[in-house]
Amino acid sequence: MIELGKMQTLTVLRIKDFGVYLGHEGEKESVLLPRKQVPQGTKEGDEIEVFVYKDSMDRIISTTRRPLLVMDEMAVLTVKEKTRIGAFLDWGLEKDLLLPFKEQTVPVRRGEHCLVALYLDKSKRLCATMKVYERLHSDSPYQKGDQVTGTVYRVNPEIGVFVAVDNRYFGLIPKKEIYDNYRTGDQVNARVTEVRSDGKLNLAVRDKAYLQMDTDSETILNAMESFGGYLPFGEKAEPDKIKRELKMSKNAFKRALGHLLKEGKIEIGENRIEYRKEK
């Protein structure tokens, strides 16, 4: 059986001027591999690995090129254009891949990236979907403390940022761990903070406190420079203000201030933080 959307090894059944027909010995079904794709010296009975899809005329056709996305996998693709029926994605083939409006979890724009999977629509055409939650797995090899990478596929302000680790496994950056603005399609480097009982991963983008402190201290000093040599709020500032201005928690802010104070780099006032003055 020839399968749409998959790489498969097929046998050369017939050779024509415009290409070769591929299929399985003893079966009537066949698919055309255009002449420009046929390896030199190909003869009947040879086996060729191809990807099978439908061309712009909705005819089943094959190619020796492997696209960026195949059935049963997920990949991050770039939006090439938007039309009245949806967005078209670059997946490495001559015919772009349609992402219908109904399969977009958020509106996409030209040039953006999105994590998608393949599916067959009612007309047996290959299309993309951003609805990947049900396709993710909970049997990752990762343990607490491991560093991972992934793609943001959903943002819920009340819960957190949903991440497809390795574009395959369930991951979540809980609301309390979010110190930046994320969009669907963003790439994330994170640390596993917990492997939940259901196998899903809780993540944090910040390092462990004792490792993060130097980075946070540098962030504070850079912010002071941008404000003209001081920080216009003190250690009693509201957590939301600290998060907005410095992208860190109040606890992390106070740890970094203590570190800078111990090093003699700053002075802490009631409503501002300044560089320590030489006496």
Side-chain angles (χ1 to χ4, degrees):
M1 179 181 177
I2 297 173
E3 297 183 272
L4 282 169
K6 294 186 177 182
M7 295 296 299
Q8 53 215 283
T9 300
L10 301 176
T11 302
V12 177
L13 302 178
R14 301 185 302 279
I15 298 178
K16 301 292 184 180
D17 291 340
F18 49 83
V20 300
Y21 282 95
L22 307 173
H24 296 291
E25 293 283 2
E27 296 183 6
K28 293 182 179 180
E29 187 180 25
S30 63
V31 61
L32 175 67
L33 176 65
R35 183 174 62 181
K36 64 181 180 180
Q37 295 271 323
V38 179
Q40 190 172 4
T42 295
K43 58 186 182 298
E44 288 187 12
D46 286 352
E47 292 186 338
I48 303 177
E49 186 180 31
V50 294
F51 178 78
V52 180
Y53 67 112
K54 287 188 176 182
D55 65 12
S56 57
M57 301 293 290
D58 263 356
R59 299 171 299 193
I60 295 178
I61 198 166
S62 65
T63 175
T64 53
R65 296 172 64 180
R66 181 184 177 90
L68 300 175
L69 177 65
V70 298
M71 199 68 82
D72 301 324
E73 294 183 5
M74 285 170 277
V76 178
L77 302 182
T78 303
V79 179
K80 287 189 69 174
E81 63 175 327
K82 289 185 66 174
T83 69
R84 59 182 178 80
I85 60 173
F88 282 91
L89 311 178
D90 179 6
W91 65 326
L93 298 182
E94 291 181 7
K95 180 188 177 184
D96 294 328
L97 180 64
L98 174 64
L99 172 61
F101 284 120
K102 67 182 181 66
E103 297 298 329
Q104 298 177 25
T105 55
V106 295
V108 297
R109 294 177 292 189
R110 184 176 181 179
E112 289 186 338
H113 305 289
C114 52
L115 179 68
V116 294
L118 270 184
Y119 76 98
L120 287 172
D121 70 6
K122 293 179 180 179
S123 301
K124 299 299 181 182
R125 291 174 299 193
L126 290 168
C127 295
T129 177
M130 294 172 67
K131 299 174 182 178
V132 300
Y133 181 84
E134 298 296 335
R135 301 168 187 262
L136 294 172
H137 301 265
S138 57
D139 58 347
S140 87
Y142 298 112
Q143 302 296 322
K144 182 177 180 179
D146 287 348
Q147 295 292 322
V148 298
T149 59
T151 306
V152 174
Y153 67 91
R154 182 186 171 200
V155 178
N156 185 324
E158 299 303 316
I159 300 175
V161 174
F162 292 84
V163 177
V165 174
D166 294 344
N167 295 339
R168 179 176 175 83
Y169 304 111
F170 288 104
L172 172 69
I173 305 173
K175 178 181 177 181
K176 66 179 182 179
E177 293 288 349
I178 299 173
Y179 300 100
D180 209 343
N181 295 319
Y182 291 95
R183 288 179 55 86
T184 299
D186 284 349
Q187 298 299 297
V188 173
N189 295 312
R191 172 174 54 89
V192 178
T193 58
E194 180 187 8
V195 179
R196 290 158 43 185
S197 59
D198 59 5
K200 297 177 182 178
L201 307 175
N202 278 359
L203 310 173
V205 292
R206 290 169 59 81
D207 218 327
K208 292 181 179 179
Y210 70 93
L211 296 174
Q212 186 70 38
M213 189 163 54
D214 286 341
T215 301
D216 290 342
S217 298
E218 190 67 27
T219 297
I220 291 172
L221 293 177
N222 289 337
M224 290 172 65
E225 287 295 325
S226 68
F227 280 110
Y230 71 98
L231 209 57
F233 52 88
E235 61 180 339
K236 295 182 180 180
E238 291 297 319
D240 286 348
K241 185 175 183 64
I242 296 169
K243 183 177 181 179
R244 183 175 63 252
E245 297 291 346
L246 301 174
K247 302 189 187 316
M248 66 180 73
S249 68
K250 184 162 185 174
N251 285 339
F253 178 58
K254 294 179 75 172
R255 279 194 297 268
L257 287 182
H259 180 64
L260 291 170
L261 196 62
K262 186 176 180 180
E263 289 189 334
K265 293 183 177 180
I266 61 169
E267 293 180 348
I268 300 176
E270 184 68 24
N271 294 308
R272 60 191 283 151
I273 295 166
E274 301 176 322
Y275 285 110
R276 184 179 180 183
K277 299 179 178 64
E278 295 294 335
K279 296 181 179 179

